Amino acid sequence: MTSARIEASESSASANLAADIGESQDASFTESVVLYEDNYLLVTNKGITIHRYYFPFLSDRFVPWDQIEYIKTAKDLGVKWYQIKEWGTALSDIWWNCAWRFFKDPFQDGLGFNSMEHILKHNIVIKVTGCKTLPGSCVRNPEKAMAEISKLMRQHHSHSN
């Protein structure tokens, strides 16, 4: 057999196998499409990954869209200064990922303090179905991130605003 025939028969066999197991119509086999990403947050068509979330290993937390009830900025949620922490939970039910919140990121923004307005605008809070603790994450570009999140929330939840 020539190499062209072998390749054609292999691709035909792969297509038949995919059709037999329903791969072409199963959403779990689709690739993730990255719509927003920064050092703290990854937004894909599958869900949201919060980087540097779990203590003490800085591991990530993934939340699929079908488990998300809402995502709001800390400002829109009415979060107070005493409910925010650099990592973990403060006087609230929000668990924050590890991020520079009160202090400017010395590697990107120089030395100094962030304003409360900046902090509230650059942090989001996620309500996960069945969870009492709300995941919170810093976000570098809140306008872009929330625009993508809003589109995906409308796609996955017809009742969301």
Side-chain angles (χ1 to χ4, degrees):
M1 246 196 231
T2 66
S3 63
R5 281 189 193 165
I6 292 171
E7 288 175 13
S9 65
E10 285 177 356
S11 68
S12 174
S14 296
N16 290 339
L17 177 60
D20 287 344
I21 62 173
E23 181 175 336
S24 60
Q25 297 178 11
D26 187 349
S28 64
F29 285 101
T30 59
E31 289 186 34
S32 288
V33 177
V34 175
L35 301 165
Y36 175 82
E37 184 173 22
D38 64 27
N39 296 343
Y40 308 106
L41 191 71
L42 172 66
V43 178
T44 71
N45 59 323
K46 301 231 180 224
I48 290 189
T49 301
I50 302 172
H51 299 303
R52 296 183 253 168
Y53 184 76
Y54 288 109
F55 182 84
F57 300 108
L58 295 168
S59 54
D60 297 347
R61 177 172 182 182
F62 174 76
V63 184
W65 288 110
D66 63 351
Q67 293 180 14
I68 297 173
E69 291 182 27
Y70 64 77
I71 300 174
K72 297 182 180 184
T73 64
K75 181 179 181 177
D76 292 340
L77 199 58
V79 174
K80 307 294 183 219
W81 68 268
Y82 53 83
Q83 297 175 305
I84 299 172
K85 193 172 180 179
E86 299 292 312
W87 188 12
T89 189
L91 298 173
S92 71
D93 53 357
I94 303 168
W95 180 275
W96 299 101
N97 66 334
C98 184
W100 297 96
R101 285 188 178 76
F102 295 109
F103 302 100
K104 291 185 177 184
D105 185 340
F107 302 107
Q108 295 190 20
D109 303 321
L111 297 175
F113 294 95
N114 287 318
S115 68
M116 197 61 204
E117 181 68 25
H118 176 89
I119 294 167
L120 294 174
K121 179 180 174 184
H122 286 81
N123 284 278
I124 62 167
V125 178
I126 304 169
K127 172 61 177 134
V128 180
T129 303
C131 293
K132 292 182 189 217
T133 302
L134 307 171
S137 178
C138 192
V139 59
R140 296 290 286 166
N141 187 338
E143 292 85 8
K144 184 176 179 186
M146 289 305 292
E148 294 299 334
I149 288 167
S150 294
K151 288 180 205 172
L152 289 161
M153 288 296 291
R154 282 191 298 273
Q155 287 176 6
H156 292 273
H157 303 283
S158 59
H159 64 276
S160 67
N161 298 340

